[in-house]
Amino acid sequence: MPRKKSYEDNDVIEKATELFWRNGYQNTSMSLLESTMGINKFSIYASFGSKQGVFIASLQAYRTLHSTAIIKLKQSNQGLMAIKTFFYDCLDIYHDTDCSKGCLMSNTRAQLNNHKETKILAEIQSFVDYQRQLFIDKLLEHGLDQSTAVKQANYLIITKQSISAASKVHPIEQVHDYIEFTFNAISATHTH
């Protein structure tokens, strides 16, 4: 008869997500996962299969953390301003009380850029592609043609990744200025 688990997957994944977010995928060892999650390696392997399995579950939990901001973006009829609000909502997610950790997915993507963790990179790319498509949809609502909307969405995805990195090293007020300047510049191109 199988033993009953003494933990909830969601609880231990929340702890693992925080650990990966602070340390990065490569700097998080199984022993660190054990001590942080409060379960042993056997339980980790039984529930998640591997460190990679824990990380993919953490990425999915991270996506869930963004769900309110994503739904707000998706349901908004404010076009470009909806994307700007989404940037601020994401910035709130990156920041906690003591520091900014940036975006878990952007951090991981940069760390694993030339790595063979294809499952992890595919999970991240799927989230980036989803956001990019939402940006295109909002820009089309703003009155842009398809080609221009795609180019601006590409620009905004890269800008969002830049904001993630900047939020880790610059005062929040400077990051806010960066967001404001970005959207003022884009808005100016829409009026010409």
Side-chain angles (χ1 to χ4, degrees), residues 20 33 100 102 117-118 125 128 177 180 191:
F20 283 126
L33 282 170
S100 177
E117 294 286 355
T118 53
Q125 191 59 49
V128 170
D177 289 345
E180 291 299 323
T191 58

Side-chain angles (χ1 to χ4, degrees), residues 83 86-87 131-139 157:
I83 300 171
F86 178 69
F87 276 43
Q131 290 177 74
R132 184 176 166 274
Q133 186 58 55
L134 285 175
F135 293 173
I136 291 169
D137 295 345
K138 293 301 151 190
L139 292 165
I157 281 293

Side-chain angles (χ1 to χ4, degrees), residues 35-172:
S35 63
T36 301
M37 295 168 79
I39 59 176
N40 63 34
K41 281 182 192 172
F42 175 78
S43 296
I44 292 171
Y45 287 121
S47 290
F48 306 103
S50 64
K51 173 182 163 181
Q52 183 188 65
V54 175
F55 191 71
I56 288 181
S58 293
L59 288 177
Q60 291 162 350
Y62 184 76
R63 281 180 90 146
T64 301
L65 186 61
H66 279 76
S67 61
T68 302
I70 292 277
I71 290 167
K72 192 163 116 181
L73 172 62
K74 203 171 178 178
Q75 293 177 344
S76 174
N77 62 359
Q78 297 297 309
L80 184 63
M81 290 306 106
I83 300 171
K84 178 179 172 182
T85 300
F86 178 69
F87 276 43
Y88 278 108
D89 290 344
C90 290
L91 196 56
D92 288 343
I93 293 167
Y94 306 156
H95 251 346
D96 65 18
T97 51
D98 40 333
C99 69
S100 177
K101 300 171 289 209
C103 171
L104 173 62
M105 292 199 183
S106 293
N107 296 348
T108 305
R109 198 174 186 188
Q111 183 186 52
L112 298 181
N113 195 27
N114 295 316
H115 206 267
K116 294 184 179 28
E117 294 286 355
T118 53
K119 260 180 121 172
I120 291 171
L121 292 171
E123 182 74 27
I124 292 168
Q125 191 59 49
S126 130
F127 188 57
V128 170
D129 290 343
Y130 181 70
Q131 290 177 74
R132 184 176 166 274
Q133 186 58 55
L134 285 175
F135 293 173
I136 291 169
D137 295 345
K138 293 301 151 190
L139 292 165
L140 290 171
E141 287 172 15
H142 200 74
L144 294 183
D145 63 86
Q146 181 73 30
S147 173
T148 305
V150 167
K151 288 176 184 172
Q152 285 194 1
N154 290 339
Y155 173 80
L156 287 166
I157 281 293
I158 294 168
T159 300
K160 185 173 175 288
Q161 292 168 349
S162 300
I163 288 168
S164 164
S167 74
K168 295 192 301 186
V169 295
H170 294 284
I172 195 73

Side-chain angles (χ1 to χ4, degrees), residues 3-33:
R3 260 179 41 182
K4 187 176 180 327
K5 289 196 296 191
S6 62
Y7 58 90
E8 291 291 323
D9 286 352
N10 289 344
D11 294 338
V12 295
I13 284 302
E14 188 178 312
K15 292 173 185 172
T17 302
E18 186 66 28
L19 179 65
F20 283 126
W21 203 348
R22 287 190 184 280
N23 290 2
Y25 178 73
Q26 291 179 322
N27 294 330
T28 300
S29 66
M30 283 303 288
S31 58
L32 264 176
L33 282 170

